[in-house]
Amino acid sequence: MKALLVSFLLTWSVISVGQVNLSYQKPDQSILNLAEAPLAPRISMDNNGENILFLYRSNYKSIDELSETEMRLGGLRINPITNIGSRTTFYTDIKMRKGREGDPQDIKGLPENGRFAYVSWSPNQNYAAFTNTTLKGVELWIVDINSSDAKKLTTDNLNANMGRPYTWFKDSNSLLVQTLPTSKKELIDPKASVPEGPTISVSEAGVKAQNRTYQDLLKNPNDEYNFEQLALSDIKKVNLDGSSYNWKSTDIYQSLNFSPDGNYILVTTINKPFSYLVPYSRFPSTTTIYDAAGTLVKKVLEVPLIEDLPQGFMAERTGMRDLTWRNDHPATLVWTEALDGGDPANEVAYRDEVFQQKAPFTAKKQSLLKTKDRFSGIRWGNETTAIAYDRWWNSRNTRTYLFDPSNASKAPKVLSDRNYQDVYSDPGNFVTTLNAYDESVLDLNDGKAYLIGDGFSDKGQFPFIDEMNLKSQKTERLYQSAYTDKVENIVFALDAKAGEFVVQIESKNEYPNYYIRNIKKRIAIQPLTQFENPFKSIQDVHKEVITYKRDDGLPLTGTLYLPTDYKEGEKYPMIMWAYPREFKDKNSAGQNTSNSNEFTYPSYGSPLYWVTRGYVVLDDAAFPIVGEGDDQPNDTFVAQLVGNAKAAIDAVDAMGYIDRDRVAVGGHSYGAFMTANLLSHSNLFAAGIARSGAYNRTLTPFGFQSEERNYWEAPEVYNTMSPFMNADKMKTPLLLIHGEADNNSGTYPMQSERYFNALKGLGAPVRLVMLPKESHGYSAKESVMHMLWEQDQWLETYVKNKKKEAPIETTETIKN
């Protein structure tokens, strides 16, 4: 299907404004060659690194695919015909390699023109399951790893509307599968139905429900009815020979989670009443334990509708939460309870307490530990060793605790207590291994554990592997990457005791590939993949991470690219692309996490394409917004934003590369918000590109991004930061692009439409492009190519050729 663009627009070849029909456009061939380069497959590796599934996919969907029937209900986007998420990314082919060498081979029996998703290895690694979506529904298939044969297990009657529609039994011989219920009723066509009355919502006095601006919520009784019909499933036990029987009757199943020994399963279902204020994840729910045969063991928890949490990012509901299984026990339930009433405003010694209860779940609950801040997870080890974490957003602090699960009276040891934004001090993540239950647990070796770290420092990035003595808490460095011309990321341990790890190595012009490195044996690394660089035309582009300082002395960085046809001494136009980030201290804000040796990868939203069009590109320019102590970052947002931009332009200008009068700025989402603010509050730029942003913060009155305060607590902050409120100051050409089906919290398409109308009314040079069917990120090939064309034309007109006679400025809208 080819959509036509019908609107008022500025045609790029004539100085006139008129109403024309315009189909989807393609960018310059130099950009097109990069944008259409084939993707390397994703890989899914077994736990031993012996067998690999290669998952092939297209770069983009088509506008036809995006135009398939879609219903948006309770925070979900559903194709009601096929009963799978309407935005699901499908694989088009699956190949397999047995062993660590050789080329991927075809899998026998795969369906033609498949649309594959939800790939998952069986616990014993002998099989891999996946779904195939047909024109009518979703099927379940498996691949026999030993024979390389694919086999269909079910008809196309799975219900994948809530996510992955199956779960492996622990014995790998069967799967629990969510299927469409035979009692499913016909859906109500929202356009054809006649309302029986108004939709009424009620707020009780004193009950605050300060929820963020969620999208795709239920809106009326018809939505409630359709959501229920699409979410209801039967649960069947399906054996590998294709035989099946009913396991549980019809309900709205949110999650199914087997105990490590496979004898119990934790089942969470969603209940009524549904809500028009929050997504389905906050609807009432019931969590129940069944045995493997489906017999009720215990109803564990009933959670009411969650519409009125306390204010703040660290707010939680009261009662049991985060129910899961203890990985190192056969069947022990673990959960958390808030000790502060779930309200971060309450001052208490401990925020959370973690409990456990062993099968058969009749004994009194046992306390495991208390955390000073909000509990954020556990890495289980053995009966006497586990690692717990807490986190507090307001201070950006995290702690790592070493504790003894068998002795709650024994105080845990704090292994680290640090600012999680301070990447230079990051000790790394503990290495895990699989135990007898096929669950991830700490890889322990005679009282020692292993850590893998990213290795960022003021001297560069050098990923590492450490060994920690848990008794003394002393660490020994076992390995540190020594590359200065490449990047080596340590992915996971195959056998930490033997020193065998999977790593990924890349360079500026070498595509990321996987290898096996043995840190104990001085042998060459063993390649697992050999993907080639699909972007040969820019493989030799000059690339470097530059460092510079803001006026207040804060160190900043950005990744600088020179044009492919760069000639020394010439001055070029520049595109700066960025995304603001909030910090609570200058030390963390000034740290460098960019690496010039990373592979040069021009993804669809990247500005890198324009090195082929004669532009200098400053990508990922650091835009920290700092608020130390009691100060909030957003209190001085605009001033810091402009300071970051000026420092970046000054730095590249001082290097002699650019004409500072021909600089563009751009960004996506919060980066679009940044762009509009920079054009409103500075004269640094010739033009801007703002994609899928929010421009009026009063439309997100109960917080946005990292702002916890509501509008009535900080009206000056909301108004000052809103480009919409400052539209009268904006005179720089701005290209606005937005997906008509944006589902991101706060970035309603209306944000761009209303901002455009304000700028148009005030005579500002602006162009609005609304992409049909697109969400917060863009996926149809037609949309992406047209977006690239729009950006290219905008930059050529208002940046590269700024000093030439410019076309008449327009404020007309283009809808595409």
Side-chain angles (χ1 to χ4, degrees):
M1 183 191 84
K2 289 287 185 180
L4 292 180
L5 311 175
V6 184
S7 66
F8 292 94
L9 59 104
L10 167 67
T11 58
W12 299 104
S13 58
V14 295
I15 305 177
S16 65
V17 178
Q19 185 176 23
V20 299
N21 294 332
L22 181 66
S23 62
Y24 285 109
Q25 300 295 298
K26 292 184 178 181
D28 183 84
Q29 192 63 45
S30 63
I31 294 177
L32 194 63
N33 291 340
L34 294 172
E36 292 186 329
L39 293 175
R42 291 174 177 163
I43 70 168
S44 179
M45 191 182 307
D46 70 8
N47 297 325
N48 297 317
E50 295 292 339
N51 300 315
I52 297 178
L53 296 174
F54 292 79
L55 310 173
Y56 296 84
R57 66 204 190 278
S58 299
N59 294 40
Y60 314 102
K61 291 179 179 288
S62 69
I63 197 65
D64 292 309
E65 289 178 280
L66 282 193
S67 299
E68 293 177 356
T69 305
E70 179 179 75
M71 299 187 81
R72 305 170 189 173
L73 301 166
L76 294 171
R77 293 191 166 186
I78 294 168
N79 183 327
I81 297 173
T82 56
N83 288 290
I84 192 170
S86 54
R87 306 281 164 158
T88 301
T89 297
F90 294 113
Y91 300 109
T92 56
D93 195 11
I94 304 176
K95 297 182 185 292
M96 189 176 70
R97 189 183 72 201
K98 290 188 285 186
R100 295 181 177 180
E101 298 179 348
D103 295 325
Q105 303 297 314
D106 290 336
I107 294 172
K108 299 184 290 291
L110 280 179
E112 294 184 3
N113 302 316
R115 294 201 292 174
F116 309 129
Y118 296 117
V119 179
S120 172
W121 291 83
S122 63
N124 65 10
Q125 308 278 284
N126 290 332
Y127 303 93
F130 61 92
T131 61
N132 177 49
T133 300
T134 70
L135 294 176
K136 296 187 293 184
V138 180
E139 307 166 331
L140 180 63
W141 287 67
I142 60 165
V143 174
D144 186 318
I145 301 300
N146 294 321
S147 66
S148 301
D149 289 327
K151 173 183 174 182
K152 184 169 72 170
L153 291 186
T154 72
T155 60
D156 49 6
N157 69 333
L158 272 62
N159 187 348
N161 291 329
M162 305 285 286
R164 191 175 77 175
Y166 69 87
T167 301
W168 280 99
F169 274 81
K170 284 289 187 171
D171 62 8
S172 299
N173 293 322
S174 309
L175 304 97
L176 280 184
V177 181
Q178 295 176 230
T179 62
L180 299 174
T182 55
S183 60
K184 180 181 176 181
K185 301 175 184 178
E186 290 293 322
L187 300 178
I188 296 175
D189 183 349
K191 296 179 181 178
S193 62
V194 177
E196 296 181 357
T199 300
I200 299 172
S201 299
V202 176
S203 174
E204 296 181 12
V207 179
K208 297 180 180 179
Q210 298 189 10
N211 297 300
R212 293 222 163 185
T213 48
Y214 300 110
Q215 300 202 45
D216 299 339
L217 299 179
L218 303 181
K219 297 180 178 65
N220 52 54
N222 287 347
D223 280 356
E224 292 189 62
Y225 171 87
N226 285 337
F227 172 80
E228 182 176 18
Q229 294 307 309
L230 290 166
L232 286 169
S233 297
D234 291 338
I235 305 292
K236 296 183 181 295
K237 180 178 180 180
V238 179
N239 301 315
L240 296 187
D241 62 5
S243 62
S244 65
Y245 69 86
N246 294 330
W247 191 82
K248 293 303 298 178
S249 58
T250 306
D251 212 328
I252 301 178
Y253 294 95
Q254 184 176 23
S255 64
L256 307 170
N257 188 5
F258 276 100
S259 62
D261 64 5
N263 290 332
Y264 301 95
I265 184 165
L266 202 61
V267 178
T268 299
T269 56
I270 291 175
N271 311 321
K272 294 180 178 179
F274 302 149
S275 172
Y276 298 175
L277 293 179
V278 293
Y280 81 93
S281 59
R282 289 171 63 174
F283 291 179
S285 65
T286 300
T287 300
T288 307
I289 298 175
Y290 297 92
D291 65 20
T295 303
L296 174 65
V297 175
K298 182 181 180 180
K299 182 184 289 185
V300 180
L301 176 64
E302 287 192 282
V303 179
L305 177 64
I306 308 170
E307 285 186 343
D308 53 355
L309 286 175
Q311 186 178 5
F313 292 138
M314 304 312 297
E316 283 287 356
R317 62 174 177 81
T318 56
M320 300 170 70
R321 72 173 200 275
D322 303 331
L323 276 75
T324 187
W325 298 105
R326 181 170 164 175
N327 287 12
D328 62 329
H329 274 197
T332 296
L333 193 62
V334 180
W335 69 91
T336 310
E337 296 182 21
L339 299 176
D340 59 0
D343 190 343
N346 293 332
E347 296 294 333
V348 293
Y350 297 95
R351 294 283 177 183
D352 281 336
E353 187 169 7
V354 183
F355 296 92
Q356 71 174 9
Q357 188 179 52
K358 299 179 181 179
F361 319 108
T362 55
K364 184 180 178 181
K365 65 182 182 183
Q366 296 176 296
S367 175
L368 289 173
L369 83 156
K370 297 177 181 179
T371 57
K372 292 182 180 298
D373 286 330
R374 195 65 75 209
F375 171 77
S376 62
I378 289 179
R379 286 287 189 191
W380 298 102
N382 55 34
E383 196 64 32
T384 60
T385 305
I387 301 291
Y389 303 90
D390 72 10
R391 192 177 180 90
W392 200 248
W393 180 86
N394 305 73
S395 60
R396 312 301 197 270
N397 197 76
T398 182
R399 293 182 189 81
T400 303
Y401 302 85
L402 171 66
F403 74 101
D404 182 351
S406 68
N407 187 357
S409 63
K410 184 178 179 181
K413 296 179 180 178
V414 177
L415 299 180
S416 67
D417 186 348
R418 50 180 289 274
N419 182 330
Y420 58 74
Q421 290 184 317
D422 180 4
V423 294
Y424 291 178
S425 70
D426 190 346
N429 297 315
F430 282 95
V431 172
T432 61
T433 187
L434 294 178
N435 62 11
Y437 303 117
D438 195 50
E439 299 288 342
S440 292
V441 294
L442 291 170
D443 196 341
L444 300 173
N445 181 17
D446 193 24
K448 297 177 181 178
Y450 304 96
L451 292 148
I452 293 175
D454 291 329
F456 289 108
S457 71
D458 57 359
K459 297 180 176 60
Q461 183 185 4
F462 304 98
F464 61 83
I465 302 168
D466 281 353
E467 182 181 71
M468 174 182 282
N469 185 313
L470 295 177
K471 186 175 182 179
S472 66
Q473 285 90 63
K474 293 182 178 180
T475 60
E476 176 187 356
R477 182 127 311 168
L478 302 180
Y479 174 77
Q480 182 165 304
S481 179
Y483 285 117
T484 56
D485 59 345
K486 297 182 180 183
V487 181
E488 176 181 13
N489 293 304
I490 302 161
V491 183
F492 66 91
L494 288 174
D495 187 340
K497 297 179 183 66
E500 197 171 54
F501 292 80
V502 172
V503 301
Q504 187 183 58
I505 298 175
E506 61 190 275
S507 72
K508 296 177 184 179
N509 52 22
E510 293 177 13
Y511 196 89
N513 276 289
Y514 294 90
Y515 302 82
I516 294 177
R517 178 183 291 283
N518 194 305
I519 65 172
K520 291 189 175 181
K521 298 178 181 178
R522 294 188 176 182
I523 56 177
I525 56 175
Q526 179 182 1
L528 291 174
T529 62
Q530 295 178 325
F531 302 133
E532 293 187 358
N533 183 356
F535 308 113
K536 296 289 180 66
S537 65
I538 59 170
Q539 67 176 0
D540 296 323
V541 67
H542 176 85
K543 174 183 180 181
E544 64 176 310
V545 174
I546 63 171
T547 59
Y548 48 97
K549 289 186 178 181
R550 205 163 70 180
D551 286 344
D552 60 0
L554 183 66
L556 303 174
T557 61
T559 304
L560 183 71
Y561 301 82
L562 297 185
T564 52
D565 60 353
Y566 173 73
K567 295 179 181 178
E568 188 172 355
E570 290 193 16
K571 292 184 180 292
Y572 294 84
M574 183 174 80
I575 308 167
M576 179 194 303
W577 206 263
Y579 189 95
R581 301 185 187 278
E582 296 86 351
F583 294 85
K584 286 300 291 179
D585 71 295
K586 289 185 176 180
N587 175 60
S588 301
Q591 293 179 355
N592 176 24
T593 57
S594 299
N595 192 324
S596 62
N597 295 316
E598 290 178 343
F599 180 68
T600 303
Y601 194 124
S603 60
Y604 89 86
S606 165
L608 297 186
Y609 299 105
W610 279 271
V611 297
T612 68
R613 299 283 283 152
Y615 292 80
V616 171
V617 173
L618 185 64
D619 193 21
D620 197 22
F623 266 71
I625 309 297
V626 186
E628 295 189 301
D630 293 332
D631 294 335
Q632 294 300 313
N634 285 341
D635 292 344
T636 53
F637 179 85
V638 170
Q640 293 192 63
L641 208 64
V642 174
N644 292 329
K646 181 178 182 301
I649 295 172
D650 288 347
V652 184
D653 185 30
M655 299 172 80
Y657 293 139
I658 63 169
D659 174 358
R660 67 178 301 140
D661 291 328
R662 294 187 295 157
V663 178
V665 62
H668 191 96
S669 192
Y670 208 53
F673 175 71
M674 169 204 75
T675 298
N677 266 304
L678 285 171
L679 299 192
S680 300
H681 298 286
S682 77
N683 295 314
L684 295 169
F685 299 99
I689 298 171
R691 298 196 314 245
S692 298
Y695 309 103
N696 183 348
R697 298 279 49 140
T698 69
L699 297 177
T700 56
F702 292 109
F704 58 90
Q705 201 71 6
S706 293
E707 179 57 64
E708 283 190 309
R709 296 168 295 184
N710 66 42
Y711 173 77
W712 297 272
E713 292 173 319
E716 291 184 5
V717 170
Y718 277 70
N719 289 323
T720 301
M721 290 179 67
S722 293
F724 181 88
M725 305 301 185
N726 295 277
D728 59 322
K729 302 174 183 176
M730 225 290 284
K731 305 301 180 185
T732 307
L734 176 63
L735 174 62
L736 293 167
I737 302 176
H738 214 121
E740 284 187 346
D742 194 330
N743 69 334
N744 185 55
S745 177
T747 55
Y748 294 109
M750 178 180 66
Q751 288 272 6
S752 286
E753 293 167 345
R754 294 290 174 84
Y755 187 41
F756 168 80
N757 288 338
L759 294 175
K760 177 180 179 177
L762 294 166
V766 62
R767 180 180 179 91
L768 173 62
V769 181
M770 299 298 293
L771 299 171
K773 311 294 183 181
E774 294 292 352
S775 187
H776 192 59
Y778 317 142
S779 59
K781 183 175 182 179
E782 294 88 340
S783 301
V784 172
M785 297 306 158
H786 189 87
M787 178 202 76
L788 294 173
W789 177 81
E790 288 280 358
Q791 293 182 169
D792 190 48
Q793 297 300 314
W794 195 256
L795 292 168
E796 291 291 293
T797 302
Y798 290 109
V799 182
K800 181 184 287 185
N801 299 305
K802 178 186 176 183
K803 292 184 178 180
K804 299 178 182 179
E805 185 177 353
I808 295 174
E809 294 174 349
T810 180
T811 55
E812 300 301 338
T813 308
I814 178 170
K815 288 189 177 179
N816 132 9

